[in-house]
Amino acid sequence: MKRAAVDEADSGRPTADRVLVTGATGTVGAPLVRELLDAEASVRVATRDPERARDAFGDGPEPVEFDLGRPETWGAALAGVDGLFLLYPPGSAVSDVTEFADAADRVGVEHVAFLSILGAEKFPVLPHRRIETHLAGTDLAHTFLRASWFAQNLSEIHRREIVERDEIFVPAGDGVLSFTDARDVAAVAARVLTESGHADRAYDLTGPEALDFEEVAEIFSEVLDRPIEYADPSRLTFARQMYRRGFSPGFVAFMVAEYSVVRLGRSGRTTDDVEALLGRPPRTVREFVEDYTDEFRA
């Protein structure tokens, strides 16, 4: 896909008047809904639990029952929608995502922003890349948001070990990551869905620096004022622990594969796309830990 300057005119597609956000109560979706509301966009929240969405967001957005695995819920969610934030839920069938995208195309959705992963274009068999390829073959204007590893994984997936055992429990060896803050990804998604100039583009979204988990543990120790260690378990030990904690086999396998890529040193690339799009530097890991301090109190 051709990359181009942020301010270049797009292919003539209009900016979104009504945006449907899938995964709206998730790591990127929740801050995205708030970003869109701040931008005075009309927001429809796609969720299995509309009441939960009302509790989370108040009366601002329009909640609608939606389940990617139940096509009978798609019509009401897509009705009158101009822009779509789409993600691939881990463990879902790629065909569910692509068929939903086709439905969006048929009913006249103009623009889809797809949350992909950094480096997806290099791995044709990756689910995210297969979805990208499918979207590129539709009439939808599309923007691929290829994000690096979320700092919020530490406050969500790995919080328990940090809080209960004072350790970061990931099998990443001495590999480095260009940690990105999900709030920055949400801000970028809101920007591309409410501005012209982003049709048929791909943006690589990273933090400002690449760190290994020893360095991350040092930052945690300094901010939290208690020693936090980097455990670096074997991949088998990690998988067993995640299974015991109740994560699905598919999601555990995804995590093991992701950390294997980190171990191989393929996850440390940084870009300036976030700063170019938002007009400010991306958040650092230190800023993330400072903002989420209460989440990590023992």
Side-chain angles (χ1 to χ4, degrees):
M1 171 173 294
K2 181 181 178 181
R3 298 282 302 280
V6 172
D7 60 354
E8 180 183 322
D10 68 6
S11 59
R13 303 298 181 100
T15 56
D17 294 319
R18 177 177 290 152
V19 178
L20 175 68
V21 179
T22 64
T25 57
T27 303
V28 175
L32 171 58
V33 170
R34 297 186 177 95
E35 290 276 354
L36 290 168
L37 292 174
D38 288 345
E40 300 183 349
S42 176
V43 185
R44 180 174 291 163
V45 171
T47 175
R48 289 190 178 95
D49 188 347
E51 286 303 317
R52 179 187 174 196
R54 289 188 184 94
D55 291 342
F57 302 117
D59 297 329
E62 173 197 359
V64 61
E65 183 178 3
F66 173 79
D67 187 331
L68 188 63
R70 294 171 54 215
E72 64 269 23
T73 67
W74 296 358
L78 289 169
V81 165
D82 305 292
L84 168 64
F85 176 73
L86 180 66
L87 48 72
Y88 166 68
S92 298
V94 169
S95 60
D96 285 344
V97 181
T98 57
E99 288 170 12
F100 177 64
D102 289 342
D105 192 10
R106 287 194 299 272
V107 301
V109 173
E110 292 285 343
H111 185 195
V112 57
F114 174 59
L115 180 61
S116 189
I117 62 175
L118 190 67
E121 72 280 9
K122 300 175 184 177
F123 299 97
V125 300
L126 198 69
H128 299 79
R129 181 54 181 166
R130 291 158 59 194
I131 294 167
E132 287 185 355
T133 300
H134 185 87
L135 290 171
T138 70
D139 289 331
L140 291 161
H142 50 272
T143 309
F144 300 152
L145 306 178
R146 294 172 176 156
S148 64
W149 200 86
F150 293 145
Q152 278 74 8
N153 288 333
L154 293 166
S155 60
E156 296 173 2
I157 299 169
H158 302 299
R159 175 180 175 273
R160 179 183 294 182
E161 287 80 14
I162 295 172
V163 171
E164 296 179 358
R165 303 208 303 256
D166 291 331
E167 65 181 19
I168 298 174
F169 189 79
V170 297
D174 58 1
V176 298
L177 273 169
S178 53
F179 296 83
T180 190
D181 195 298
R183 295 171 295 178
D184 290 339
V185 177
V188 167
R191 183 67 60 89
V192 305
L193 284 165
T194 57
E195 289 183 350
S196 62
H198 305 288
D200 304 339
R201 309 285 180 85
Y203 298 119
D204 294 338
L205 308 179
T206 76
E209 57 187 348
L211 302 172
D212 62 34
F213 279 96
E214 289 283 1
E215 293 171 308
V216 173
E218 290 176 9
I219 292 171
F220 268 83
S221 299
E222 292 167 5
V223 175
L224 301 181
D225 196 27
R226 72 178 197 267
I228 304 295
E229 303 293 334
Y230 169 40
D232 191 21
S234 70
R235 281 168 283 190
L236 179 59
T237 299
F238 172 80
R240 286 173 173 166
Q241 172 71 3
M242 295 298 108
Y243 286 137
R244 284 196 294 266
R245 284 188 49 192
F247 289 102
S248 71
F251 187 63
V252 172
F254 174 78
M255 285 192 287
V256 169
E258 187 173 42
Y259 288 122
S260 296
V261 173
V262 177
R263 294 178 75 95
L264 292 172
R266 298 180 179 176
S267 301
R269 182 163 60 93
T270 61
T271 76
D272 61 0
D273 283 10
V274 170
E275 185 166 6
L277 286 156
L278 300 182
R280 62 164 175 80
R283 292 176 173 91
T284 64
V285 171
R286 183 175 294 274
E287 288 174 296
F288 160 76
V289 181
E290 289 172 346
D291 289 345
Y292 284 73
T293 295
D294 289 344
E295 298 288 327
F296 299 112
R297 294 297 184 196

